[in-house]
Amino acid sequence: MRTIDLRGRELSPADMLAAVPRATQARAEALDTAARIVDDVRDRGEEALREQADRFDRVSGHDIRVPAAHIAEALEVLSADVRAALEEAIRRVRIASAAQVPQTQITEIGPGARITQRWQPVQRVGVYIPGGKAVYPSSVIMNVVPAQVAGVEQIALASPPQEDQGGRIHPTILAAAGLLGVTEVYAMGGAGAIGAFAHGVQGIGLDPVDVVSGPGNNYVASAKRAVAGVVGTDSEAGATEILVVADAPADPRLIAADLVSQAEHDEQASAVFVTDSLELAERVAVEVAEHAARTRHSARVSAALDGPQSAIVLVDDRAMATAFSNAYAPEHLELHLQDAEDAASAFTSAGAVFVGDQTPVSLGDYMAGSNHVLPTGGQARYAPGLGSYTFLRPQQVISYDRDALRAVREGVVALANTEVLPAHGEAIEARFTA
């Protein structure tokens, strides 16, 4: 990892962002390709999906609509320890997701004047689960459980067909779907799957969905952008990011382990370490190099750590570290600080904040109860991670009786006339004239 020294400089948020650029080129290149893939599925349906499976997944002749027997078989062969872990993760995520469903609120504006704020679930959701460099049954939980808690009635799931599974979805992903009672499952991947969810594919019985959610590579994220406006989407979750802020007493071994754990996902992953301690920075650099060399996916990890999107950043003090983190707005933020609990409130822009050195991102990936589908690329400045609220629509229900309407009659007419919309006022007056 390279080291960037920002000490002794007056920097704007833009300057800080420029110091550690994100890996944007691959995303830019993916936009046009993803849009063409989505349009192809829209226009040619199943035929396009099969051609894409042959081209990208090296699979042909497979069942795109997964038979129920395949899900049952996957559940039968699921190991007891993995099943127990998945069931516990489901329990924890279900508890945390329930807290994200707002209660109906009734506001009395005046006598006989009432506004009810209610939250309605969408009818149908399409969940995408990646299937490239790793297997993600945890992502099945993180997407399906919040939708179920929100009250979504129909949940369809898609994941790429696997060459080494004879064109089937990976059995652990199928088993996770089975544990959650998801029976509408499709073996289709990448941008094509997003297009299929958005536009539907009549030949395989896939109806369009209302919301598409789930993580994926740059093509999946770009496909979500291509279908925005046709369906709702969660955040465009691209390559993963971790930013660790630490002070001098922090343990360099733990920091290095956490940086490497996220670099393991993808060569474009971002691993950023911010500290005001030169000694700690040097020790972390050594630990990272040693850990990266011995981990199973060392080539992938090294590519991510050596990329321009990863760095050790030296800052003057805590205030500068906080400013840098809030400008960067990482997907995952870890605070290895002596006063982490108190300090956390100042770190306002992050997909999720992991407080203290005993709360690693890996915990959030699986068993914390929090959701691991989070905004990347700085979107945490304005966008939330995935939760039950992703699948809910706020609605206002307005109820006025005659006396309540009479109380505002003159005001509505006056404003309507001022805006030169007299028919608006006439609609009020019609209720008080024979």
Side-chain angles (χ1 to χ4, degrees):
M1 293 177 72
R2 64 196 175 113
T3 298
I4 300 172
D5 193 344
L6 300 183
R7 293 175 298 178
R9 299 167 59 183
E10 292 290 334
L11 300 174
S12 68
D15 294 330
M16 294 178 183
L17 284 174
V20 187
R22 284 179 161 96
T24 57
Q25 181 60 33
R27 173 68 67 87
E29 293 172 353
L31 282 171
D32 287 342
T33 300
R36 288 196 298 271
I37 290 172
V38 167
D39 290 346
D40 193 27
V41 172
R42 178 197 62 198
D43 297 338
R44 299 194 300 125
E46 181 180 357
E47 182 181 2
L49 288 174
R50 292 200 176 278
E51 289 179 5
Q52 291 164 18
D54 183 56
R55 176 183 174 190
F56 299 119
D57 304 308
R58 299 176 299 281
V59 167
S60 61
H62 63 299
D63 293 306
I64 297 181
R65 177 73 180 255
V66 175
H70 291 187
I71 301 174
E73 290 171 18
L75 273 171
E76 288 177 5
V77 301
L78 184 66
S79 66
D81 59 337
V82 174
R83 179 169 186 146
L86 290 173
E87 289 175 338
E88 178 62 13
I90 290 168
R91 186 187 73 83
R92 289 170 176 261
V93 174
R94 200 174 296 281
I95 292 171
S97 297
Q100 298 169 338
V101 179
Q103 297 298 310
T104 297
Q105 298 288 335
I106 299 175
T107 304
E108 298 289 342
I109 303 299
R114 183 174 66 251
I115 295 177
T116 301
Q117 181 76 54
R118 68 183 185 186
W119 296 78
Q120 296 285 94
V122 299
Q123 176 72 18
R124 182 167 166 77
V125 165
V127 168
Y128 182 73
I129 307 300
K133 295 182 174 70
V135 181
Y136 294 105
S138 58
S139 288
V140 178
I141 296 169
M142 298 295 174
N143 284 269
V144 172
V145 170
Q148 290 177 333
V149 170
V152 175
E153 293 184 1
Q154 299 177 22
I155 301 174
L157 184 147
S159 190
Q162 302 296 304
E163 183 181 20
D164 62 357
Q165 300 292 332
R168 295 190 183 190
I169 292 173
H170 194 283
T172 311
I173 291 176
L174 284 181
L179 286 174
L180 288 163
V182 177
T183 59
E184 185 181 351
V185 182
Y186 300 91
M188 55 187 187
I194 304 304
F197 277 146
H199 297 291
V201 180
Q202 185 174 3
I204 58 174
L206 172 55
D207 292 326
V209 302
D210 301 313
V211 170
V212 175
S213 72
N217 60 19
N218 284 323
Y219 294 96
V220 170
S222 297
K224 288 181 182 179
R225 185 173 298 183
V227 301
V230 178
V231 293
T233 64
D234 61 351
S235 61
E236 296 177 19
T240 192
E241 303 166 352
I242 181 173
L243 189 150
V244 180
V245 178
D247 49 20
D251 187 334
R253 182 179 57 88
L254 298 182
I255 294 168
D258 293 352
L259 294 171
V260 169
S261 74
Q262 293 306 296
E264 180 178 43
H265 277 284
D266 191 274
E267 290 85 352
Q268 295 180 51
S270 299
V272 181
F273 172 50
V274 181
T275 184
D276 58 1
S277 170
L278 177 59
E279 180 184 357
L280 179 61
E282 292 172 343
R283 294 172 65 193
V284 166
V286 172
E287 291 283 351
V288 165
E290 292 178 354
H291 194 142
R294 66 176 181 265
T295 193
R296 177 177 178 178
H297 301 296
S298 60
R300 187 189 308 162
V301 168
S302 295
L305 295 175
D306 293 341
Q309 74 275 14
S310 298
I312 295 173
V313 180
L314 286 169
V315 294
D316 289 320
D317 50 28
R318 172 72 62 80
M320 191 174 186
T322 305
F324 182 93
S325 177
N326 287 338
Y328 188 85
E331 177 189 19
H332 306 100
L333 170 64
E334 286 189 4
L335 300 179
H336 291 232
L337 302 169
Q338 287 186 297
D339 60 340
E341 291 285 350
D342 293 333
S345 62
F347 292 85
T348 55
S349 294
V353 183
F354 297 81
V355 180
D357 64 7
Q358 299 305 301
T359 316
V361 169
S362 296
L363 173 65
D365 284 340
Y366 299 114
M367 299 290 283
S370 57
N371 204 293
H372 76 201
V373 183
L374 300 167
T376 62
Q379 294 179 89
R381 291 183 294 108
Y382 55 83
L386 189 144
S388 289
Y389 41 73
T390 304
F391 309 106
L392 294 168
R393 300 157 294 154
Q395 290 180 331
Q396 296 183 72
V397 181
I398 302 95
S399 176
Y400 271 54
D401 64 21
R402 185 175 181 82
D403 288 341
L405 180 61
R406 181 181 289 108
V408 296
R409 173 184 177 183
E410 291 184 2
V412 172
V413 171
L415 291 174
N417 290 336
T418 295
E419 295 187 353
V420 197
L421 296 172
H424 283 60
E426 291 163 7
I428 301 295
E429 294 295 343
R431 285 157 171 78
F432 296 98
T433 56

